[in-house]
């Protein structure tokens, strides 16, 4: 049975209780119901606080794990680059014999660094003689009408794991399609 109880604003609130006819028993029953409702509300509030704390702990743990992954990835690259640093130090310490040994040492070091970076996903972008591609090349001079080709590479471009991280700086010129026809 549903009863209606008066509330402070002059209205009524419906309750899904069967109240006894005795007013004292009805009040005792309502006080017991109110106490149960408060206990249930406090329990739900505690659950909500516990879930919020668990989520905050999860967020902090995820941030720590992400930072740890970034540190380990950087550490691996730095560790792989240490032989390059050793080679540079050896090249600089080499006796000067007209600069030949130094030049050979620097070239070997450059190749060593490229090999390491390639193993980590770096790829040089081919530019010289290629059709101009604004996704891979950044033209700094030249131009013309028609089909453009790269005539000079000013600075090498690179992609990392398939994504261009620095386009090649190039000079371009219009290709003469009638040549060789």
């Amino acid at each position: 049975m549903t009863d209606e109880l008066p509330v402070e604003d002059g209205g009524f609130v419906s309750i899904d209780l069967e109240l006894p006819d005795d007013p004292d028993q009805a009040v005792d029953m309502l006080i017991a119901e109110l106490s149960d409702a408060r206990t249930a509300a406090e329990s739900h509030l505690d659950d909500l606080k516990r879930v919020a704390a668990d989520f905050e702990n999860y967020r902090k743990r995820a941030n720590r794990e992400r930072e740890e992954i970034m540190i380990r990835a950087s550490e691996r690259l730095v560790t792989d680059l240490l032989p390059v640093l050793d080679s540079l130090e050896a090249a600089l310490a080499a006796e000067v014999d007209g600069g030949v040994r130094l030049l050979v040492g620097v070239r070997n070091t450059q190749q060593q660094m490229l090999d390491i970076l390639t193993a980590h996903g770096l790829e040089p972008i081919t530019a010289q003689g290629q059709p101009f591609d604004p996704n891979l090349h950044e033209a700094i001079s030249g131009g013309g009408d028609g089909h453009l080709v790269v005539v000079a590479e000013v600075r090498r471009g690179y992609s990392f794991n398939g994504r261009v991280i620095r386009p090649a700086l190039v000079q371009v010129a219009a290709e003469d399609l009638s040549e060789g026809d």
Side-chain angles (χ1 to χ4, degrees), residues 17-18 24 38 69 75-76 81 88 98 112 156 163:
L17 288 175
E18 189 171 326
D24 291 335
R38 283 185 176 169
I69 288 169
E75 181 181 308
R76 183 173 162 224
L81 286 174
L88 280 173
Q112 195 175 22
R156 185 172 290 174
R163 188 173 66 189

Side-chain angles (χ1 to χ4, degrees), residues 65-80:
E65 289 173 357
R66 184 176 47 241
E67 288 172 9
E68 183 66 27
I69 288 169
M70 291 173 63
I71 288 170
R72 292 207 181 271
S74 297
E75 181 181 308
R76 183 173 162 224
L77 178 61
V78 168
T79 300
D80 288 348

Side-chain angles (χ1 to χ4, degrees), residues 3 16 34-35 42 73 93 97 100 137 143 152 165 177:
D3 286 325
D16 193 21
L34 179 61
S35 176
E42 288 172 5
D97 55 353
V100 174
H137 310 124
I165 58 172
L177 296 176

